[in-house]
Amino acid sequence: MKRVFSGVRPTGRSHIGNYLGALQNWVKLQNEYQCIYCIVDIHALTTLEDTSGLQRNIHEMALDLLGVGIDPAKSILFVQSHVPEVMQLHTLLSMVTPLGWLLRVPTFKEKARLQPQNVNYGLVGYPVLMTSDIVLYKAEVVPVGEDQLPHLELAREIARRFNILFGDTFPEPAAKLTEFPLVVGLDGKEKMSKQLGNDIEIALSEEETTARVMTAVTDPARRYRTDTGHPEICNVYHLLEYFSPVKPDEIAAQCRLAQIGCVDCKKLLAQRINATLRPARERRAALSTDPQRVKDILADGARRAAVIARETLQEVKQKMGLI
Ligand code: AMP
Ligand code: TRP
C-alpha cells in the first residue's frame, strides 16, 4: 500500500484553514493509504524563542487531530522528536542540498522578513528537515495546503539528487491538495493563520465561533445594507461555499440584489461551521478529559514509526558509506 505522510506544526490550536486545506484530506486518505501523521515539534522551534508552551500545544494539536477523525487504529500519529532518527537523516540530507536552493525558498524569505531578529540556521534548513520527515518513511503522497508547494518541490529535488548520487532509494513525493488549498483569513486579505490572528479555531465553542465570524470583513464595496453585493470577492461568501453541502447560489443571487445583508450571511456561515464541526468538537471534548489516553496514542505511534525510520536510516547510511 502506498504511504502518505504529512505534518502540522504545534503552534497552538488548529484553525479552519488547516481543516479545509489539509486535515480534511488527512482523514479521508486513511481509508486508501497507510497514513503517517506527525506533530512537528522540531519545526516549531525554528520560529519559537519562548518554548514554554510547547508541550501544551502538542497536546492541543493531538486533540484537534483525533477530534477531526484521525484514527490511531488506521494511521500512525506521533510527535516528530519522539522518533529522533529524523534529525540524523536531516544532517545527512543537508550534505546533498545546495545552499542556493534553500535561500531561494519563498517561505524562508518570508520568515526572515517576519522575524529579522531570529534568522536562525534551522530556519534555512526547514525544508531539509521537512524532506527528511517525508522520505524517512518513503512516503509518496503528501496532503498539504498550497503554501507548502515550494517545500514539496524542494523535497522532490533533494530526493532526486540523493537517488542520482547514491542509487535509487526514495520515491519522489507528490503534494495532494484539497478543493480549498488556500483559505483566506477573517481580514479578507491574507491566508488564514494563527500568527496573523485572522483565524477561527476548530476548538472554539459555538458562541465563540459566531462572535469570531461577526468580525469578518465582507465585500468592502458594500457599505450600507441597501448596497448590492459582490459575492465573488467576499470572503464570507467563499467560506460559506466551503461549508455548505451544496453551492449557496441562492445566497449569492440575494446578495447581488441586496435582499440579504452581511450580518445575515455571517449568521448563516457561523451556523454552517458549527454544524460541520460539531462531531469533531464533541470527540475532542470527550478526549480532553483523558490526557493519558492521548499520551498513549502518541507513544504507540512513535513506536510504530520508529520501526520504519530505523530501516530507512540504516539503508541511507550504508549507501553514503558510513557503514
Ligand atoms: P501549519 O499550521 O502551518 O503547520 O499548517 C498545517 C497544514 O495546514 C499545512 O498542510 C498547511 O498547508 C495547511 N494550511 C495552513 N494554513 C492554511 C490556509 N490558510 N489555507 C489552507 N491550508 C492551510
Ligand atoms: N511545513 C509544514 C507546515 O508548515 C509542516 C510539515 C513539516 C510537513 N514536515 C512535513 C508537512 C512533512 C508535510 C510533510 O505546514
Side-chain angles (χ1 to χ4, degrees):
M1 208 195 276
K2 275 195 188 177
R3 242 179 234 149
V4 160
F5 185 99
S6 198
V8 61
R9 291 171 306 135
T11 46
R13 294 170 161 189
S14 49
H15 50 72
I16 61 173
N18 302 128
Y19 178 73
L20 296 170
L23 304 186
Q24 237 184 8
N25 242 351
W26 291 25
V27 174
K28 270 196 226 131
L29 293 169
Q30 294 184 110
N31 300 320
E32 298 162 54
Y33 295 90
Q34 182 190 6
C35 296
I36 306 180
Y37 296 128
C38 186
I39 299 174
V40 291
D41 54 349
I42 312 170
H43 276 108
L45 294 181
T46 60
T47 54
L48 285 184
E49 284 170 285
D50 174 8
T51 62
S52 57
L54 195 53
Q55 289 308 313
R56 173 95 230 134
N57 285 344
I58 291 170
H59 178 70
E60 292 287 336
M61 187 57 71
L63 288 176
D64 281 340
L65 295 177
L66 294 165
V68 298
I70 300 304
D71 178 356
K74 291 185 191 154
S75 305
I76 295 178
L77 176 65
F78 75 109
V79 177
Q80 189 181 32
S81 68
H82 296 181
V83 183
E85 280 77 4
V86 74
M87 295 187 257
Q88 293 193 41
L89 186 59
H90 173 231
T91 303
L92 298 177
L93 290 185
S94 73
M95 310 305 171
V96 303
T97 309
L99 185 58
W101 289 4
L102 298 174
L103 297 176
R104 275 200 298 273
V105 176
T107 46
F108 169 67
K109 291 192 208 157
E110 173 68 6
K111 282 183 180 154
R113 187 177 67 82
L114 290 175
Q115 53 182 61
Q117 79 298 350
N118 185 20
V119 185
N120 58 74
Y121 171 57
L123 205 54
V124 189
Y126 186 108
V128 185
L129 182 58
M130 179 161 158
T131 304
S132 308
D133 281 329
I134 300 167
V135 303
L136 186 56
Y137 302 96
K138 301 197 176 183
E140 292 173 71
V141 179
V142 184
V144 283
E146 196 173 83
D147 58 331
Q148 297 301 311
L149 293 181
H151 289 155
L152 254 293
E153 187 54 44
L154 204 67
R156 275 195 297 279
E157 279 168 15
I158 296 173
R160 203 175 303 145
R161 192 165 154 89
F162 185 96
N163 290 344
I164 290 169
L165 291 172
F166 300 106
D168 216 14
T169 310
F170 302 124
E172 287 178 27
K176 191 170 178 72
L177 298 177
T178 65
E179 266 173 83
F180 315 113
L182 184 71
V183 179
V184 173
L186 293 175
D187 54 6
K189 284 198 223 107
E190 311 225 36
K191 89 164 182 178
M192 183 174 286
S193 102
K194 167 135 242 108
Q195 277 105 322
L196 297 171
N198 61 2
D199 62 328
I200 302 175
E201 292 172 358
I202 293 177
L204 291 184
S205 69
E206 301 205 349
E207 296 69 33
E208 287 167 333
T209 303
T210 308
R212 284 297 283 155
V213 171
M214 288 301 160
T215 68
V217 173
T218 54
D219 171 2
R222 200 172 176 199
R223 309 250 301 278
Y224 301 101
R225 172 69 182 76
T226 47
D227 291 342
T228 55
H230 308 85
E232 62 287 350
I233 58 157
C234 174
N235 190 38
V236 169
Y237 179 74
H238 289 310
L239 286 170
L240 198 55
E241 278 187 316
Y242 298 165
F243 280 99
S244 299
V246 287
K247 214 167 184 298
D249 293 330
E250 180 116 341
I251 304 284
Q254 289 176 345
C255 170
R256 286 200 183 92
L257 296 170
Q259 286 170 351
I260 183 173
C262 295
V263 172
D264 302 320
C265 224
K266 289 182 190 179
K267 281 191 188 144
L268 199 62
L269 172 61
Q271 275 169 17
R272 290 293 325 147
I273 295 176
N274 286 334
T276 306
L277 296 182
R278 201 164 292 139
R281 285 170 167 169
E282 283 171 5
R283 250 194 315 263
R284 187 188 201 284
L287 252 180
S288 69
T289 62
D290 192 357
Q292 189 55 44
R293 165 116 184 89
V294 176
K295 280 209 172 82
D296 290 345
I297 290 171
L298 295 175
D300 181 58
R303 262 192 303 276
R304 287 151 67 202
V307 174
I308 309 170
R310 288 191 193 121
E311 200 179 313
T312 309
L313 189 61
Q314 186 76 4
E315 182 187 351
V316 167
K317 284 183 175 171
Q318 256 159 10
K319 288 189 167 155
M320 292 183 92
L322 292 173
I323 38 181

